[in-house]
Amino acid sequence: MSTTSSPDRRTRRAICHHRRPRLPTARWSSRLRDDRGSATAEYAVVILAAVAFAGVLVAVMRSGEVQTILTDLVRGALSL
């Protein structure tokens, strides 16, 4: 019997294999459940929606009918 204290076979196995390697699907599912960065993604979506809305407004404002209506509106306001 040796005097050095070495862990027995069961303890060594528990120390070496206390964490099993995770499957790739488990890794992806944990990443999908993680909500870090979700606020940044939400801000990005809102900014993209605002840019799209601004593009629609620019297209509408460049039409001839809208320019005529706005010109008449400004002339009417300045003539008061």
Side-chain angles (χ1 to χ4, degrees), residues 23-64:
L23 296 173
T25 55
R27 195 176 313 138
W28 278 106
S29 66
S30 68
R31 287 183 183 174
L32 291 175
R33 279 184 270 128
D34 189 15
D35 63 349
R36 287 181 293 174
S38 62
T40 305
E42 291 169 3
Y43 285 130
V45 169
V46 169
I47 289 171
L48 287 175
V51 168
F53 185 69
V56 170
L57 281 177
V58 167
V60 168
M61 296 297 279
R62 288 190 175 187
S63 70

Side-chain angles (χ1 to χ4, degrees), residues 55-78:
V56 170
L57 281 177
V58 167
V60 168
M61 296 297 279
R62 288 190 175 187
S63 70
E65 291 180 12
V66 174
Q67 284 182 352
T68 305
I69 293 170
L70 288 175
T71 304
D72 292 340
L73 184 67
V74 170
R75 283 187 184 152
L78 291 177

